[in-house]
Amino acid sequence: MAGSTFGTQFKITTWGESHGKGIGVVIDGCPAGLSLCEDDIQKFLNRRKPGQSRFSTPRKEDDTVQILSGIFEGKTTGTPISLVVFNENQRSRDYGDIATYYRPGHADYTFDMKYGFRDYRGGGRSSGRETIGRVAAGAVAAKILEELGISFLTYSRAIGPVSIEKTAEELLSNDTTSLKQQILSNPLYMPETEAADKAQDFLEECMAQHNSAGGIIECIITGVPAGLGEPVFEKLDANLAKAIFSIGAVKGFEIGDGFAVAASTGLQNNDAFCTQDGTVATATNHAGGILGGISNGAPIIFRAAIKPTPSIASTQQTVNKSGEEIEVSIRGRHDPIIVPRAVVVVESMAALVLADALLTNMGSKIESLLKLY
Amino acid sequence: MAGSTFGTQFKITTWGESHGKGIGVVIDGCPAGLSLCEDDIQKFLNRRKPGQSRFSTPRKEDDTVQILSGIFEGKTTGTPISLVVFNENQRSRDYGDIATYYRPGHADYTFDMKYGFRDYRGGGRSSGRETIGRVAAGAVAAKILEELGISFLTYSRAIGPVSIEKTAEELLSNDTTSLKQQILSNPLYMPETEAADKAQDFLEECMAQHNSAGGIIECIITGVPAGLGEPVFEKLDANLAKAIFSIGAVKGFEIGDGFAVAASTGLQNNDAFCTQDGTVATATNHAGGILGGISNGAPIIFRAAIKPTPSIASTQQTVNKSGEEIEVSIRGRHDPIIVPRAVVVVESMAALVLADALLTNMGSKIESLLKLY
Amino acid sequence: MAGSTFGTQFKITTWGESHGKGIGVVIDGCPAGLSLCEDDIQKFLNRRKPGQSRFSTPRKEDDTVQILSGIFEGKTTGTPISLVVFNENQRSRDYGDIATYYRPGHADYTFDMKYGFRDYRGGGRSSGRETIGRVAAGAVAAKILEELGISFLTYSRAIGPVSIEKTAEELLSNDTTSLKQQILSNPLYMPETEAADKAQDFLEECMAQHNSAGGIIECIITGVPAGLGEPVFEKLDANLAKAIFSIGAVKGFEIGDGFAVAASTGLQNNDAFCTQDGTVATATNHAGGILGGISNGAPIIFRAAIKPTPSIASTQQTVNKSGEEIEVSIRGRHDPIIVPRAVVVVESMAALVLADALLTNMGSKIESLLKLY
Amino acid sequence: MAGSTFGTQFKITTWGESHGKGIGVVIDGCPAGLSLCEDDIQKFLNRRKPGQSRFSTPRKEDDTVQILSGIFEGKTTGTPISLVVFNENQRSRDYGDIATYYRPGHADYTFDMKYGFRDYRGGGRSSGRETIGRVAAGAVAAKILEELGISFLTYSRAIGPVSIEKTAEELLSNDTTSLKQQILSNPLYMPETEAADKAQDFLEECMAQHNSAGGIIECIITGVPAGLGEPVFEKLDANLAKAIFSIGAVKGFEIGDGFAVAASTGLQNNDAFCTQDGTVATATNHAGGILGGISNGAPIIFRAAIKPTPSIASTQQTVNKSGEEIEVSIRGRHDPIIVPRAVVVVESMAALVLADALLTNMGSKIESLLKLY
C-alpha cells in the first residue's frame, strides 16, 4: 500500500531513508499566496536537529532544507512544494552486523516479514530521520494556521517518571510568549525548571546504565475556530490520534481528560456551556476542545506517550536471520531519550491535521460557496 | 468534507440519523466468494442492542438488519453490500426543548457551528445509533478475518473505578472459548466475576444519583500474520487509533503497555526476540503486537477510554440558542454507561482496520503479484 | 478494490443490482442548508425511466426515489443523504440460460474472470439500472450548481449515422429555455426536428432487423466560473473524461473540437483572448471551456460516443461456461438504443464532477481562507 | 485541492516547474524486490527529451534522472522511490513580457483566475516539462508490467492530416520487436515509412508558416490478464481516460472502435466469444480489450487526440493583465508538434493505470487472500 501520503486537501508525501541520499517531502494543496521561505522551515527543523544537548545523539547533522518547487517571488503558488534535506552523514560504513539480526524494539523483523528484505542502514525508512519530512511540512502548515490566529504550545509533560506539576490550563494562564521561550531554551523542552532539573538527573542515571527513557508530550492549540472536524470517521480527534500515532515511538494518545474519564462521572466530566464576551464557551475543558469530533472553540489539549529509545548499549536477547538466539548490544550514537526532539514532530503532525481540517471544512455550508463564488 | 467513509480497499460508508428512517452502511471492496447471511450480521448487532440489562437504555429497538445488495446465492459477489436497519422508534415526538439549547458533553453546539443548524431529534447523526452501520460492517470484516484464523477477545477492562485484575496475557492463557462465553453472558462484558459484581454496585449508585459512568475497553486480536501495516502514515496502530477514536465517546487510546511506557526504560520495554516452534516470536509483548507500525505476529492488544454518558438527569448549566445561560436536566431513557454496548463497536472498528490492512498489503512484494497473476 | 465511490469532497457511493432488492446511493459531503425534496430527484430519474417511447424497453418500472437520511425540515444537514429506489420488477424468473454462457458485448465473462462467479440476473451490477444511483446523486449536485448559476444543455447529437447540423455554439445562440423544452419533449432528446425524424426512421429499421444502434451525446455547461480544476492529474477535463467513461456503454470522449484538433493547426485552434463587458473572454471556443485543466469561463462543451445496445435478438456466436462454442439470441425487453436514456446520466456525471470541483477549489488561495474563517 | 497525486495503491506524486530547480516524482506503493536502476528510467526519459529531431525544440536538456530513495542493493524496498531531474536550463532570463499577458491556448489566464498569480517562467507548472515526473514513474510501472508479460506498442497514428493506413490489428500481426525498433528510430514515431515521409513534409510547411500541428497517438497493450478494472466508477477504461486526459494537450480519448461505434450496430460492434488454445477469446476486438470496465484478455487499444502546440510565432490577438487587447507573437524555441514526444507520456500514463489496477485487484476473491496469507 502507498502509505507515505497524509491528508486530504493539504496533502504531504514523504520519502527517504536514514542513510540514503536525503529525506524529503512534497506538500500538495497548500493555498497560493502564502509568504514562505527556507527560514520558516529551517526554524522547525532546528528544533528536531540532533546534537543540541548531551541528551541527544552527538551525530552532527545540519539538516539544511532546500525548497525545490512551489514558491515564486517569495509566495506559494498553489502547486506542489518540494522540500529536501540531503544527508551529509551517509559515509560508507560497515552495517553487516545489524543486517544479520533483529534489534529488539525496532522494525527490522517486521520489515523483513512485510517486504522480504530491508534497507538496514541506520534503520532505513523506519529511522527517526523520516520525521524530517513531517516537520518540514508541519512548518508550512503552521504558517497557514498562524495567518488565522491559531498557535501551539508543545512541550515535554513527563520525562521518565518525572512530570511537570502545572496543568495545561495553569500553563495557559501564563504569558505564553515567555513560556514558549522557556520551553525552547530548555534542553528537555519542559516548562518547569524544577522538573527539568530532576529529569536531567534521571537521564544521567539512565545513560550511566546504558539504558534509555520515555515520556509524555503535551500539545495545546489555541485559536481554533469552532466547527472544524467531521462528525463520523473524520473526527478532528480521530485524525489527531492517527497523526500522532503515526510517529514512530508513540504508544498512547489521549485528549482532554483522556484515560481519566474512565473513572469520572457525567456530572464531573461534562463541560457546562456559558457565555464569554458574548459568545458561547465552556466553563471547564475536560473535553480538550472537541465535542462529537468537531472543535468547540476551546483550546485543544492532547498528550502522547513516547516509548524509551529501543537502541541501548545494554546486552539484549534476540534472534538472527538464521533463527539462532543470540545476545546483542546496540553500539552507536543513539539518543538516550527521544521525547525532547519529538516535541516538534508532534506539533508538526497536529499542524498538518488542522490545516487539512480548515481546507476540507470550507464547503460545510451552502452559504460559504455563495460567499466565495 | 465527506467524512462518512472509512477504509481504502475494504471501504465502508455509513448513513442515517437516530430518529430518521433508518441507519445503514454500504461495504465496498469485500472480496467475492465469502459466505454471508443476515444472521452473521445480526449476531454482532445484538451485542449492541439496547435493553439487554438494566444498565442500558430501556428503549425497545430490535435493530433487525436487511441485506439489500451484494450477495448472490449466499455468497458475496465482490460488489457493494448495502445493509440497513430501519428505525422503529421514530414516532413523532416533541423535541422542541432540545432544539433550543446545547446539551453539555454533546455535539449540539459544534454541529450548529459547523453546519448552521442541526437535526436535533435524538442527536441526529451524532447519536450512538450511528454505530449500527459500523457494527454491521464490522461483522462482515470479522467473517473475512475468521477465514484467515484471526480472532478477537474484547471486553470491559474497567467500569468507572472498578478494573479487572488479570492482564491481557493472563486472560489469553485461559481457554478463550469459555472466556468469550463468560464475557457475552455478563451484562457488563467483564471477564472477572468479582469485578463485574463490584462494577454493578457502582453503577447502581451512579443511577441513583442521576449520574453516569465511563470505563475502559480492551481488545486482543490473535492470529494476525506478521507484516501487516505500513511503515509511515498508515501504521497499523495509527489506523487502529483513528478507527477507535472515531467512536463517539472515546477520549484515549493506547497499545501494548501504552501510557506506562513513559516511565519505563528501554531495557524493560524492549521485547526480546526468541524462537518458538521454529519461528521468530517475542518473549514478552510490551509492544502490543506492532513494531514500526507493522504487525509482528504477537497478539495485538489495545485499550480505549470511554467517557461517561453525557446525558444525565442531574441539573446542569448551559446556554440556549439566544445565548442565555440556563439550567437543564436531560430527561429520557439514556444508558447510565455505554461501555458494555461499545465493546462490539470497538471490536468492529478493529476488524475493519485489519480487513483493510490484509487487502492493502497484498502487493507488498513483487513475488506476490507473480503468485496471483 | 472499492470502486463504487466517486468524488473527493462531494462523494457518492452507489450500490445495487438490476434484479436485487433495490438500487441506491449515499451522497456524502453535500453542503448543509440546500433545499431538497424527493421531487427534485424524481425529476431527473424520470428522464432515464424506461417505457417512455417505443425506442426504449417496454419494461414498466416506476423508479420512485425515497430519501432515507440527510434532510431535516426540507434542507440538507451536511450529513450523508441516502437515496433508494426499490426494484419492483424482481419477480422470480428463469435466468438459467444466461447463467451458462457469456453474452457478447456484455460484462458476463469479465465478471467471471474477476470475481470467480457473477449475479447473472439481468446483468446484476453491470446493468444499466446501476445508473439510477448516479442520476439521483446528479440531481442533488445539479441543485447546488443551480444556486451558483451553472446550467446544463444535454442532448443527442447523433443517433446512429444521423447527426444534428447545428453546432453547440449555434444551439447556445437560441433561447435555451425553449430549446431544453424541445429536447425533453422529443423521444430521442434531439434538438432538431428533421434529424429526430430521420433518426426515428433509422431506429425502426434497426428494430425490424433485431439489431441496435449507438450515438453521440453532447453536453454544454454554462455559467461555470473561471478557475475550477487542478493543473496536473485532477484536471477538470480529466475528471469529466473519467466520469463519462465510467458510464457503461461509452467508448469515446472529447472536449471542444476534440479529435478534430489532430488535423487543425495552432493558428486555427488557439482561442484568441478578448474583452467582453469588461472581463476577459475568448473570441472562439475550440478549447471547450478548459485550458490547462482549469475552466476559463467559456461554456464547457464535450461529447460522448455511446455503443449500440449489446443485447440483440439476432443470432450471435459465443462460448458457454464449459468452453463450448454456441449460438445465442438474446430474448427479452431491451432498448434498441440507450442514447436517449443516457442523456441524463451524462448530465448527472458532469454535475457531480463540477460540484466536487467547486468544493475542492475553495482553498486555492490563502485569501479565501481569511474570508471564511 | 491536492491534485498532483495519481493512483490508489501504486501512487505517484509529481512536483516541479519548467524553470524552477528541478522536476521530480515520488512513487509510493511500488512492490519490494523489483530490480531497478537509473538506466531503466533514463531509457524512458530519453524518448521525451527535446532536441532529437528538427521537429522538436532545439533546447538542449539532458534530463538526467537521479534516484534519491527507495532502492537498496539494486532492488526496490517497498518504500517511496524519489526521482529527480534537476533543471540545467534555468538561467535567469527576461520573462517580463510573458508575465504581462495571456498566451492563447495556454493556461496563463486560468492559473491567474485560480491562484491569483502564476509562476510565468516557461509555463511554470503547466509546462510540458511537468510530464518528466510521469514518464520517470511510468518507466517503473512498465518494469512491473514487464515481469508479468504485459507490453506496449505506442506510436503516432496521425500527424496533422497524415495518418498511417494499417489498423492496430494489422500492426500487431507483424513482428512487434522490429516494429518497436522502427517506431523508435523514426523522428515522428510513426510505424509506416510512407506516412512518416508525408508527415515530415507537412510539418516543414507548418514550420515555414510559423504554425504548429497536432495528431493522434495510439497505444496497444498486450498480455493484460482478464479481470482487471472495477465494474462501476473505477472502470479500467475510465481510469485510462482520466490518465490520458490529464496530459496537457489531449482533447479526445477513445477505446476500441471509439467514436465509430456511434454509427455502428449491435450486430457489427459486439465481439463474438470463441475459444482459442483452450481459453475464451473474442473473434474481433471492437471493444478494445475492455468489457464492462474490466479487461477481457484481448489487446487494449486506445487513441488520444493531441492539439497543435499553442506557442506559435505567428501574430495572435490576446489581452494583457490590464485588460487591453493586444497582438502578440510567441518567440522562443518551441516544438512545432508535440505528438512524437508525447508518445512516451501516453505510454507512461497507461502503465501507471495498469500497475495500479494489478495491485488493487489482488483482493477481488476471498481465495486470493487464502493463497497469500
Side-chain angles (χ1 to χ4, degrees):
Chain A
M1 184 197 193
S4 296
T5 296
F6 186 80
T8 298
Q9 292 283 89
F10 191 90
K11 192 180 252 178
I12 72 163
T13 301
T14 68
W15 57 267
E17 293 92 29
S18 175
H19 286 61
K21 294 203 177 153
I23 302 273
V25 64
V26 182
I27 303 167
D28 197 19
C30 182
L34 180 77
S35 294
L36 191 75
C37 65
E38 275 148 355
D39 227 47
D40 293 321
I41 299 160
Q42 195 62 50
K43 225 168 44 185
F44 264 61
L45 286 175
N46 288 348
R47 289 165 64 191
R48 78 161 290 293
K49 226 169 48 176
Q52 302 189 98
S53 81
R54 70 185 191 292
F55 305 118
S56 79
T57 166
R59 274 197 311 272
K60 180 84 191 92
E61 285 157 311
D62 271 346
D63 293 348
T64 308
V65 73
Q66 294 178 41
I67 299 178
L68 299 183
S69 71
I71 309 294
F72 185 60
E73 298 180 343
K75 285 189 188 298
T76 57
T77 60
T79 62
I81 302 168
S82 178
L83 304 174
V84 66
V85 167
F86 285 105
N87 287 335
E88 303 166 0
N89 217 337
Q90 54 172 126
R91 68 197 145 101
S92 182
R93 214 183 95 179
D94 180 18
Y95 296 99
D97 211 31
I98 286 178
T100 62
Y101 65 82
Y102 300 127
R103 290 171 297 162
H106 277 282
D108 301 342
Y109 173 67
T110 54
F111 264 62
D112 269 16
M113 288 299 98
K114 182 178 186 68
Y115 297 119
F117 78 117
R118 72 184 188 280
D119 178 349
Y120 49 76
R121 299 167 304 161
R125 182 75 175 144
S126 69
S127 159
R129 281 188 73 70
E130 175 268 324
T131 60
I132 286 177
R134 304 170 181 239
V135 172
V140 180
K143 197 116 204 259
I144 296 173
L145 301 181
E146 206 184 298
E147 296 266 333
L148 298 167
I150 300 171
S151 66
F152 289 85
L153 196 65
T154 324
Y155 47 84
S156 307
R157 168 154 290 282
I159 297 286
V162 186
S163 291
I164 59 171
E165 291 195 351
K166 288 207 187 72
T167 62
E169 279 80 5
E170 285 165 354
L171 287 171
L172 270 185
S173 67
N174 293 322
D175 169 48
T176 54
T177 312
S178 71
L179 195 61
K180 277 187 195 184
Q181 204 45 51
Q182 185 189 351
I183 292 168
L184 287 176
S185 64
N186 177 316
L188 298 179
Y189 294 104
M190 273 185 126
E192 276 180 21
T193 316
E194 203 181 344
D197 289 346
K198 269 197 217 163
Q200 296 196 37
D201 294 346
F202 168 74
L203 286 177
E204 295 285 1
E205 213 176 312
C206 269
M207 288 162 77
Q209 294 166 1
H210 300 129
N211 208 343
S212 63
I216 292 172
I217 293 170
E218 188 163 66
C219 177
I220 306 176
I221 318 172
T222 53
V224 180
L228 297 191
E230 305 297 321
V232 184
F233 299 117
E234 303 296 327
K235 287 187 165 78
L236 190 55
D237 37 355
N239 279 326
L240 285 168
K242 175 171 179 170
I244 300 307
F245 243 98
S246 76
I247 303 169
V250 172
K251 303 301 285 184
F253 175 86
E254 58 179 9
I255 193 154
D257 285 3
F259 273 87
V261 299
S264 183
T265 69
L267 208 44
Q268 292 164 344
N269 187 62
N270 284 348
D271 298 307
F273 284 107
C274 58
T275 51
Q276 257 171 30
D277 311 324
T279 66
V280 174
T282 56
T284 50
N285 191 11
H286 298 293
I290 299 179
L291 276 175
I294 303 172
S295 62
N296 67 3
I300 293 177
I301 303 172
F302 69 81
R303 282 170 298 285
I306 311 284
K307 75 175 184 180
T309 319
S311 292
I312 49 175
S314 293
T315 304
Q316 298 181 85
Q317 305 294 320
T318 194
V319 165
N320 65 18
K321 290 187 75 168
S322 322
E324 293 161 331
E325 301 192 334
I326 57 171
E327 286 200 338
V328 295
S329 156
I330 316 293
R331 309 266 155 216
R333 302 159 298 168
H334 301 286
D335 298 83
I337 184 162
I338 62 169
V339 174
R341 292 179 61 199
V343 164
V344 71
V345 183
V346 163
E347 183 169 317
S348 294
M349 290 307 301
L352 291 168
V353 169
L354 278 169
D356 202 30
L358 282 163
L359 287 168
T360 54
N361 183 57
M362 292 180 81
S364 62
K365 295 179 238 180
I366 195 81
E367 69 186 62
S368 304
L369 277 95
L370 295 169
K371 210 176 281 177
L372 281 193
Y373 290 110
Chain B
M1 183 198 194
S4 296
T5 296
F6 187 79
T8 300
Q9 292 283 89
F10 192 90
K11 195 179 250 176
I12 72 164
T13 300
T14 68
W15 58 268
E17 293 93 29
S18 176
H19 286 61
K21 292 203 180 155
I23 303 272
V25 65
V26 182
I27 304 166
D28 197 17
C30 183
L34 180 77
S35 294
L36 191 76
C37 65
E38 276 148 354
D39 227 47
D40 293 318
I41 299 159
Q42 196 62 51
K43 223 166 46 181
F44 264 61
L45 287 174
N46 289 348
R47 288 166 62 191
R48 78 159 288 295
K49 228 170 46 178
Q52 302 188 97
S53 81
R54 72 187 190 293
F55 305 115
S56 79
T57 166
R59 275 197 310 272
K60 182 82 191 96
E61 285 157 308
D62 272 344
D63 292 348
T64 307
V65 73
Q66 293 178 41
I67 299 177
L68 298 183
S69 70
I71 310 293
F72 185 59
E73 298 180 343
K75 286 188 187 299
T76 57
T77 61
T79 62
I81 303 168
S82 177
L83 305 175
V84 65
V85 166
F86 285 105
N87 287 334
E88 302 166 1
N89 217 340
Q90 56 171 126
R91 67 201 145 102
S92 181
R93 212 182 99 179
D94 181 17
Y95 296 98
D97 211 30
I98 286 179
T100 63
Y101 66 82
Y102 300 128
R103 291 170 297 162
H106 278 282
D108 301 344
Y109 173 67
T110 54
F111 265 62
D112 269 17
M113 287 300 98
K114 181 177 187 71
Y115 297 119
F117 78 117
R118 71 184 188 280
D119 176 350
Y120 48 75
R121 300 166 303 162
R125 181 75 177 144
S126 69
S127 159
R129 282 190 70 71
E130 175 266 325
T131 60
I132 285 176
R134 304 171 180 239
V135 172
V140 179
K143 197 114 205 258
I144 295 173
L145 301 181
E146 206 185 299
E147 296 265 333
L148 297 168
I150 300 170
S151 67
F152 289 84
L153 195 65
T154 323
Y155 47 86
S156 308
R157 168 155 288 282
I159 296 288
V162 186
S163 291
I164 59 170
E165 293 196 349
K166 287 208 187 71
T167 63
E169 279 81 3
E170 286 165 353
L171 287 171
L172 270 185
S173 67
N174 293 322
D175 169 50
T176 54
T177 313
S178 72
L179 195 62
K180 277 187 195 184
Q181 205 43 51
Q182 185 189 351
I183 293 167
L184 289 175
S185 64
N186 178 316
L188 298 180
Y189 295 103
M190 273 185 127
E192 278 180 21
T193 317
E194 204 180 344
D197 289 347
K198 271 197 215 162
Q200 296 196 37
D201 293 346
F202 168 75
L203 286 177
E204 296 285 0
E205 214 177 310
C206 269
M207 290 162 76
Q209 293 166 0
H210 300 129
N211 207 342
S212 63
I216 292 172
I217 293 170
E218 188 164 64
C219 177
I220 306 176
I221 319 173
T222 53
V224 180
L228 297 190
E230 305 296 320
V232 184
F233 299 117
E234 302 297 327
K235 287 187 165 75
L236 190 54
D237 36 356
N239 279 325
L240 285 168
K242 175 169 180 169
I244 300 308
F245 243 97
S246 76
I247 303 169
V250 172
K251 302 301 283 185
F253 174 85
E254 58 179 10
I255 192 152
D257 285 3
F259 273 87
V261 299
S264 183
T265 68
L267 207 46
Q268 292 163 344
N269 187 61
N270 284 348
D271 299 307
F273 284 106
C274 57
T275 50
Q276 256 172 32
D277 311 325
T279 66
V280 174
T282 57
T284 52
N285 190 11
H286 298 292
I290 298 179
L291 277 174
I294 304 172
S295 62
N296 66 4
I300 292 176
I301 304 173
F302 69 80
R303 282 169 298 285
I306 311 284
K307 76 175 185 180
T309 318
S311 293
I312 49 176
S314 294
T315 304
Q316 299 180 87
Q317 305 294 320
T318 193
V319 165
N320 65 19
K321 290 188 75 169
S322 323
E324 295 160 330
E325 299 190 338
I326 57 169
E327 286 198 336
V328 296
S329 155
I330 316 293
R331 309 267 155 217
R333 303 158 298 169
H334 301 287
D335 298 83
I337 184 162
I338 62 170
V339 173
R341 290 180 63 199
V343 164
V344 70
V345 183
V346 164
E347 183 169 317
S348 294
M349 290 308 299
L352 291 168
V353 170
L354 278 169
D356 202 28
L358 282 164
L359 287 167
T360 54
N361 182 56
M362 292 180 82
S364 60
K365 296 179 238 180
I366 195 81
E367 68 186 61
S368 304
L369 277 94
L370 294 169
K371 211 175 281 176
L372 281 193
Y373 290 111
Chain C
M1 185 199 196
S4 295
T5 296
F6 187 80
T8 299
Q9 292 282 91
F10 192 89
K11 194 179 250 177
I12 71 164
T13 301
T14 68
W15 58 267
E17 292 93 29
S18 176
H19 286 62
K21 293 201 178 156
I23 303 274
V25 64
V26 182
I27 303 167
D28 196 20
C30 183
L34 180 78
S35 294
L36 190 76
C37 65
E38 275 148 354
D39 227 45
D40 294 318
I41 299 161
Q42 195 61 50
K43 223 166 48 182
F44 264 61
L45 286 174
N46 289 348
R47 288 166 63 192
R48 77 160 291 293
K49 224 167 52 174
Q52 301 188 99
S53 82
R54 71 185 189 293
F55 305 116
S56 80
T57 167
R59 276 196 309 271
K60 183 82 190 94
E61 286 156 310
D62 272 346
D63 292 347
T64 308
V65 72
Q66 294 178 41
I67 299 176
L68 300 183
S69 70
I71 310 294
F72 184 60
E73 297 180 344
K75 286 188 188 300
T76 58
T77 59
T79 62
I81 303 168
S82 178
L83 305 174
V84 67
V85 166
F86 286 105
N87 288 333
E88 302 167 359
N89 216 338
Q90 53 172 128
R91 63 196 150 104
S92 181
R93 212 184 97 180
D94 180 16
Y95 296 98
D97 212 29
I98 285 178
T100 62
Y101 67 83
Y102 300 127
R103 290 171 298 162
H106 277 282
D108 301 343
Y109 173 66
T110 53
F111 265 62
D112 270 16
M113 287 300 97
K114 183 179 186 70
Y115 298 119
F117 78 117
R118 71 185 187 278
D119 177 348
Y120 49 76
R121 299 167 304 162
R125 182 75 176 142
S126 69
S127 159
R129 282 188 71 71
E130 175 267 326
T131 60
I132 285 176
R134 302 171 182 238
V135 172
V140 180
K143 198 121 204 256
I144 296 173
L145 301 180
E146 207 184 299
E147 297 265 333
L148 298 168
I150 300 171
S151 68
F152 289 84
L153 196 64
T154 322
Y155 47 85
S156 309
R157 169 154 288 281
I159 297 286
V162 185
S163 290
I164 59 169
E165 293 195 351
K166 288 207 189 70
T167 63
E169 279 80 4
E170 286 166 353
L171 288 170
L172 269 185
S173 68
N174 294 322
D175 169 50
T176 54
T177 312
S178 72
L179 195 63
K180 277 187 195 185
Q181 204 45 52
Q182 186 189 349
I183 292 166
L184 289 176
S185 64
N186 177 317
L188 298 180
Y189 294 103
M190 273 186 127
E192 277 180 21
T193 317
E194 205 180 343
D197 289 346
K198 270 197 217 162
Q200 297 197 35
D201 293 346
F202 168 76
L203 286 178
E204 295 286 1
E205 215 176 311
C206 269
M207 289 162 76
Q209 293 167 1
H210 300 129
N211 207 343
S212 64
I216 291 172
I217 293 170
E218 189 164 65
C219 177
I220 305 176
I221 319 173
T222 53
V224 180
L228 297 191
E230 305 297 320
V232 184
F233 298 117
E234 303 296 327
K235 285 188 166 75
L236 190 55
D237 36 356
N239 278 326
L240 285 168
K242 174 170 181 170
I244 301 307
F245 243 97
S246 76
I247 302 169
V250 172
K251 302 301 284 185
F253 174 85
E254 57 179 11
I255 191 152
D257 285 4
F259 274 87
V261 299
S264 184
T265 68
L267 209 44
Q268 293 163 345
N269 187 63
N270 283 349
D271 299 306
F273 284 107
C274 58
T275 51
Q276 258 171 32
D277 312 324
T279 65
V280 174
T282 57
T284 51
N285 191 10
H286 298 293
I290 298 178
L291 276 174
I294 303 172
S295 61
N296 66 4
I300 292 176
I301 304 173
F302 69 80
R303 284 170 296 286
I306 311 284
K307 76 174 184 180
T309 320
S311 293
I312 50 175
S314 293
T315 305
Q316 299 181 86
Q317 305 294 320
T318 195
V319 165
N320 66 18
K321 291 188 76 169
S322 324
E324 294 161 328
E325 300 192 336
I326 57 169
E327 287 198 337
V328 296
S329 155
I330 316 294
R331 310 265 154 220
R333 301 158 300 168
H334 300 287
D335 299 84
I337 184 163
I338 62 168
V339 174
R341 292 179 61 200
V343 164
V344 71
V345 182
V346 164
E347 183 169 318
S348 295
M349 290 308 299
L352 291 168
V353 169
L354 279 168
D356 202 28
L358 282 163
L359 288 167
T360 54
N361 182 58
M362 293 178 82
S364 60
K365 295 178 238 181
I366 195 82
E367 69 186 61
S368 304
L369 276 95
L370 294 169
K371 210 176 281 176
L372 281 193
Y373 291 110
Chain D
M1 185 201 192
S4 296
T5 296
F6 187 80
T8 300
Q9 293 283 90
F10 191 90
K11 194 179 251 178
I12 71 164
T13 300
T14 68
W15 57 269
E17 293 92 28
S18 176
H19 286 60
K21 294 203 179 155
I23 303 273
V25 64
V26 183
I27 304 167
D28 196 19
C30 183
L34 181 76
S35 294
L36 190 76
C37 65
E38 276 149 354
D39 227 48
D40 293 320
I41 298 160
Q42 196 61 50
K43 223 167 46 183
F44 264 60
L45 286 175
N46 289 348
R47 289 166 62 191
R48 79 160 289 294
K49 226 167 51 175
Q52 302 190 96
S53 81
R54 69 186 192 291
F55 304 117
S56 80
T57 168
R59 275 197 311 271
K60 183 81 193 94
E61 285 156 309
D62 272 345
D63 292 348
T64 308
V65 73
Q66 293 178 41
I67 299 177
L68 299 183
S69 70
I71 310 294
F72 185 60
E73 299 181 342
K75 286 188 187 300
T76 57
T77 60
T79 62
I81 302 169
S82 178
L83 304 175
V84 67
V85 167
F86 285 105
N87 287 334
E88 303 166 359
N89 216 337
Q90 54 172 127
R91 68 199 145 104
S92 180
R93 212 184 98 179
D94 180 18
Y95 297 98
D97 212 32
I98 285 178
T100 62
Y101 66 82
Y102 300 126
R103 290 170 298 162
H106 278 282
D108 301 344
Y109 173 66
T110 53
F111 264 63
D112 269 18
M113 287 300 98
K114 182 177 185 72
Y115 298 118
F117 78 117
R118 72 184 187 280
D119 177 349
Y120 49 75
R121 301 166 303 162
R125 183 75 176 144
S126 69
S127 159
R129 282 188 71 71
E130 174 267 322
T131 59
I132 285 176
R134 302 171 182 239
V135 172
V140 180
K143 198 120 202 256
I144 296 173
L145 302 181
E146 207 184 298
E147 297 264 334
L148 297 168
I150 300 171
S151 67
F152 289 84
L153 195 65
T154 323
Y155 46 86
S156 308
R157 167 155 289 282
I159 297 287
V162 186
S163 289
I164 59 169
E165 292 196 351
K166 287 206 187 73
T167 63
E169 279 81 5
E170 285 165 354
L171 287 171
L172 269 185
S173 66
N174 293 322
D175 169 49
T176 53
T177 313
S178 71
L179 195 62
K180 276 186 193 182
Q181 204 45 50
Q182 186 190 350
I183 293 166
L184 289 176
S185 64
N186 179 317
L188 298 179
Y189 294 103
M190 273 185 127
E192 275 181 21
T193 317
E194 205 180 345
D197 290 346
K198 268 196 219 164
Q200 297 196 35
D201 293 346
F202 168 76
L203 286 178
E204 295 286 359
E205 215 177 312
C206 269
M207 289 162 76
Q209 294 167 1
H210 300 129
N211 207 343
S212 63
I216 292 172
I217 293 169
E218 188 164 66
C219 178
I220 306 176
I221 318 171
T222 52
V224 181
L228 298 190
E230 304 298 320
V232 184
F233 299 117
E234 303 295 329
K235 287 188 166 76
L236 189 56
D237 37 356
N239 278 327
L240 285 168
K242 174 170 181 172
I244 301 306
F245 243 97
S246 76
I247 303 169
V250 172
K251 301 303 283 185
F253 174 85
E254 58 180 10
I255 192 154
D257 284 3
F259 273 87
V261 300
S264 184
T265 68
L267 208 44
Q268 292 163 344
N269 187 62
N270 284 348
D271 300 305
F273 284 107
C274 58
T275 50
Q276 257 171 31
D277 311 326
T279 65
V280 173
T282 58
T284 51
N285 190 10
H286 298 291
I290 299 179
L291 277 174
I294 303 171
S295 61
N296 67 4
I300 292 176
I301 303 173
F302 69 79
R303 281 169 299 284
I306 311 285
K307 75 174 184 180
T309 319
S311 292
I312 50 175
S314 292
T315 305
Q316 300 181 85
Q317 306 293 321
T318 194
V319 166
N320 65 19
K321 291 188 76 169
S322 323
E324 294 161 330
E325 300 192 338
I326 58 170
E327 286 199 337
V328 296
S329 155
I330 315 294
R331 308 266 156 219
R333 303 159 296 170
H334 300 287
D335 298 83
I337 183 162
I338 61 168
V339 173
R341 291 180 62 200
V343 164
V344 69
V345 182
V346 165
E347 183 169 316
S348 295
M349 291 306 300
L352 291 168
V353 170
L354 279 169
D356 202 29
L358 282 164
L359 287 168
T360 53
N361 182 57
M362 290 180 84
S364 61
K365 294 179 239 181
I366 194 83
E367 68 186 59
S368 304
L369 278 94
L370 295 169
K371 211 176 282 176
L372 281 192
Y373 291 110

